[in-house]
Amino acid sequence: MWRVWVPLTTNGRTLIMNPASQQAASTIDPTLLTRVVKGEQQAFSRLYDLSSTLLYSLAVRILGNREEAAELLQEVYLEVWRKAARYDVSRGTPIAWLITLTRSRAIDRLRTRGTRALRQTGQPLDLPAAGRVADQHPTPLDAQADQELRQLVYDALAGLPPVQQQAIELAYYDGLSHAEIAIKLNQPLGTVKPRITLGMSKLRESLRPYWEQRDHS
Amino acid sequence: MTHEDLEDTIPLYAVGALERGERQAIEAHLLSGCVPCHSALKDYQSVAFVLPFGLNMTAPPHGLKATIMAARTSAALQETEAQQSEKPSLEPGEWMNHLFPPEIPSKHTPSFRWVLGLAVAIVIAGGGYTTWTAYNTQVAADSARLAQVQDQAAAARSELATLQRQIDERDESLAQSREELERRAMDIVELKDQLIQREAELEVAIAQLTEQGKKPVRVPQDELAALLRTPNAKAIALSGTEMTKQASGMLLYDSRTQKAWLYTLNLPECPNGMTYQLWAMSEKPVSIGTFHVGAAETSHVFVKPFRDFMSAKTFSVSLEPDGGRPQPTGPVYLLSHS
């Protein structure tokens, strides 16, 4: 179905929502998962094509190891193939479900292997291609809607003070509690909580126009 | 802890930064149905979900998709299930169920009476609120488990239906193959009958010629009759193509003499300058020989030595210019079934 391009303004930037968003990871149609539930191989293949780059990048970021990330991704997709019927559209978007599943499984692995202390942590969040040299190979996330969302997330993160970025990253990608983060950063207990709260609050405000636009389009 | 204190922890809950006790407290509060906190949680979880879009993207290995697609067999899935025997922190489809606090196994530690008394007092003081929260938590956990079992049953039913469909399709295909085999066997029997009948007619004709004092014609039919009585003679039926559906043929092979016998019925008369050519089709077509069918000739016997009969996969008869061709060029009139 043809959709009219609607300009969206946030943080002084203008975003465009266009028809290409239908092919994006950020806008996977819930009916695709319905077809996976029915055992349609093409739908499962399509779901992989749309989401695997994002999920693999997330797994690599959490585990810090490409081979283990590939192993994890295989486990996640097989679980999706087997348990896609459990996806409930009223609880969130398909990509949110896939991200939650991948992050949860990756952090389980991280805790199991107990090598968290050996990994390098406390670095700033990875910046999207827009802020760095572009990826050498095009990925499915090159879809217009994904690029827009990536740029938006990049801008929102770049607008945070580094200490807030760092605290959010240690919680989200390393699975650390605020108390563990305080110990790791050698900060007094009670300093990390407000950093995360403030950082998340700013991110929410920065991203709010995107969700409002998406809900109306 | 006040409502404001709880509300302040929602961003930390969404990003996974709370300690277990804090997490349980906010989960209990959310279970009470606080609308503003539910709304705030939805917003902050939406923030958490898009954070990976801020990562520098890395494409997965090229072979990973093929590995995953191939691993969806039931054996692989069972293995995966076994490997996941350790309870993960979140089940797919239950990604909001983590609002329900996990059951904490009780620890039996040595205690003094006054500790026990104090604990009892706390329990009593907790009163209805604690009981009600625990009840809700248990009901929610049971509901989640029930949903999980129902999902597994639905998936098993779906897989069973798929397998049943596949079995039905294979049964149908097998029945069709059997019917085809029976039909071809009947064709062969019919052609053999026709051959025997022609053989008898030929014998009568030879006898009549002999009675008229003419020199008997030497024909290979005696040899053919002997061949037909040979139990291990190889017989292949040929059917007419779109060019002439009423035509048919029987190809016999005598492994002792290494001769191929082609008996044809109802082949049209060869036009001037044209002849029929018999082909054995293996890796490439090999000519066995040419023969001519004249006017009003309803049947024809064609004999030719041919050593590579058994290696051929199919046989055909095409119409070619006189003398034949190294490769088939003209229309095919007869074709074996396999």
Side-chain angles (χ1 to χ4, degrees):
Chain A
M1 181 184 294
W2 179 256
R3 293 162 73 182
V4 178
W5 287 29
V6 181
L8 168 66
T9 303
T10 179
N11 287 352
R13 295 180 61 251
T14 298
L15 301 177
I16 301 294
M17 300 295 286
N18 66 32
S21 63
Q22 294 174 353
Q23 303 299 319
S26 54
T27 57
I28 292 174
D29 191 336
T31 57
L32 191 62
L33 276 172
T34 307
R35 290 171 54 203
V36 172
V37 172
K38 292 176 182 172
E40 288 188 30
Q41 295 192 17
Q42 284 185 340
F44 185 67
S45 172
R46 182 69 181 143
L47 183 69
Y48 178 92
D49 291 341
L50 287 173
S51 60
S52 60
T53 297
L54 178 66
L55 300 185
Y56 182 68
S57 304
L58 174 60
V60 169
R61 175 64 185 83
I62 293 173
L63 297 170
N65 180 307
R66 291 186 179 212
E67 287 181 5
E68 194 174 3
E71 192 179 309
L72 177 87
L73 216 60
Q74 180 174 344
E75 179 185 318
V76 166
Y77 277 105
L78 288 177
E79 197 166 350
V80 168
W81 173 252
R82 191 176 41 153
K83 299 181 178 177
R86 297 186 188 179
Y87 167 70
D88 182 353
V89 69
S90 66
R91 290 171 169 173
T93 62
I95 196 63
W97 180 57
L98 294 171
I99 287 171
T100 304
L101 187 60
T102 304
R103 176 178 174 269
S104 171
R105 296 291 179 269
I107 288 177
D108 283 340
R109 275 180 176 246
L110 207 59
R111 287 173 178 156
T112 301
R113 76 184 186 194
T115 55
R116 188 165 51 196
L118 300 176
R119 296 177 61 252
Q120 279 195 325
T121 55
Q123 299 163 348
L125 283 167
D126 276 335
L127 302 181
R132 296 181 174 181
V133 178
D135 292 340
Q136 290 182 348
H137 303 289
T139 70
L141 264 75
D142 288 337
Q144 182 78 22
D146 289 340
Q147 288 287 5
E148 290 170 358
L149 180 56
R150 291 180 65 190
Q151 185 64 53
L152 192 58
V153 173
Y154 166 73
D155 287 344
L157 289 167
L160 294 182
V163 289
Q164 293 178 9
Q165 274 192 34
Q166 186 183 38
I168 291 172
E169 179 188 24
L170 286 169
Y172 190 78
Y173 293 117
D174 292 69
L176 297 181
S177 69
H178 63 89
E180 290 171 319
I181 295 170
I183 293 168
K184 184 168 196 64
L185 300 179
N186 199 23
Q187 297 286 319
L189 286 173
T191 56
V192 174
K193 264 190 180 181
R195 289 180 187 175
I196 292 176
T197 303
L198 282 172
M200 289 293 284
S201 181
K202 286 177 188 171
L203 289 176
R204 180 176 68 164
E205 292 312 309
S206 299
L207 295 167
R208 190 186 297 279
Y210 171 79
W211 292 316
E212 288 174 353
Q213 180 60 51
R214 187 191 59 185
D215 292 343
H216 286 95
S217 62
Chain B
M1 196 178 274
T2 66
H3 178 267
E4 285 182 355
D5 293 336
L6 290 167
E7 197 169 18
D8 286 344
T9 63
I10 287 177
L12 289 99
Y13 179 75
V15 81
L18 289 181
E19 299 285 339
R20 170 177 281 192
E22 296 168 321
R23 197 168 65 238
Q24 289 174 348
I26 187 66
E27 283 167 349
H29 176 65
L30 288 165
L31 277 174
S32 73
C34 177
V35 175
C37 286
H38 269 287
S39 176
L41 176 62
K42 187 180 174 186
D43 283 356
Y44 284 116
Q45 280 187 324
S46 296
V47 172
F49 295 147
V50 299
L51 285 179
F53 281 89
L55 292 170
N56 199 23
M57 292 299 145
T58 308
H62 286 302
L64 183 60
K65 182 179 180 182
T67 305
I68 290 171
M69 297 300 282
R72 291 169 305 148
T73 60
S74 57
L77 291 177
Q78 284 168 4
E79 186 182 347
T80 305
E81 198 164 21
Q83 287 171 351
Q84 291 174 350
S85 57
E86 291 181 9
K87 179 71 176 172
S89 53
L90 285 178
E91 286 292 328
E94 298 175 356
W95 61 277
M96 283 289 282
N97 288 352
H98 59 297
L99 295 178
F100 308 138
E103 293 178 42
I104 305 169
S106 59
K107 292 181 180 177
H108 300 286
T109 53
S111 59
F112 298 100
R113 287 189 175 186
W114 67 269
V115 175
L116 181 61
L118 183 60
V120 170
I122 290 170
V123 169
I124 293 169
Y129 177 77
T130 306
T131 306
W132 178 246
T133 302
Y135 171 74
N136 278 341
T137 304
Q138 187 60 43
V139 168
D142 288 346
S143 299
R145 277 196 291 273
L146 180 61
Q148 185 177 349
V149 170
Q150 285 173 341
D151 289 344
Q152 287 172 348
R157 278 198 299 273
S158 171
E159 190 176 355
L160 186 64
T162 303
L163 288 171
Q164 188 60 52
R165 262 200 318 277
Q166 290 173 349
I167 290 171
D168 292 345
E169 286 170 4
R170 286 176 188 177
D171 284 348
E172 190 178 347
S173 172
L174 186 63
Q176 287 174 353
S177 298
R178 281 181 178 158
E179 286 174 8
E180 180 68 13
L181 188 64
E182 287 171 5
R183 192 176 63 78
R184 290 183 184 181
M186 288 178 68
D187 287 347
I188 290 172
V189 170
E190 188 179 347
L191 283 168
K192 277 188 174 177
D193 288 346
Q194 289 176 0
L195 194 58
I196 291 166
Q197 187 181 347
R198 294 291 185 275
E199 182 189 346
E201 290 171 4
L202 196 57
E203 283 176 358
V204 169
I206 291 168
Q208 288 172 350
L209 284 172
T210 306
E211 283 175 5
Q212 291 170 10
K214 294 180 181 177
K215 186 180 176 182
V217 179
R218 179 171 176 76
V219 291
Q221 269 73 7
D222 290 344
E223 196 179 344
L224 177 59
L227 175 61
L228 285 171
R229 287 189 288 273
T230 304
N232 59 353
K234 176 80 173 172
I236 293 172
L238 290 91
S239 299
T241 63
E242 292 296 324
M243 301 298 298
T244 169
K245 289 185 176 177
Q246 72 274 19
S248 61
M250 168 68 79
L251 188 60
L252 297 162
Y253 181 68
D254 188 345
S255 57
R256 297 167 305 174
T257 59
Q258 294 188 327
K259 282 183 183 175
W261 297 69
L262 176 63
Y263 180 77
T264 65
L265 278 174
N266 300 325
L267 269 180
E269 175 191 359
C270 289
N272 284 336
M274 303 296 281
T275 185
Y276 287 113
Q277 190 165 7
L278 175 61
W279 302 93
M281 315 293 281
S282 51
E283 296 300 324
K284 57 182 182 180
V286 176
S287 173
I288 297 177
T290 60
F291 61 94
H292 193 273
V293 175
E297 191 177 2
T298 55
S299 64
H300 186 88
V301 178
F302 165 69
V303 188
K304 202 77 176 176
F306 187 63
R307 291 170 180 271
D308 300 326
F309 188 93
M310 301 308 286
S311 62
K313 293 174 182 170
T314 57
F315 296 88
S316 65
V317 172
S318 64
L319 188 64
E320 305 290 346
D322 271 342
R325 287 288 181 269
Q327 302 284 332
T329 59
V332 174
Y333 279 74
L334 290 175
L335 188 64
S336 67
H337 295 293
S338 60

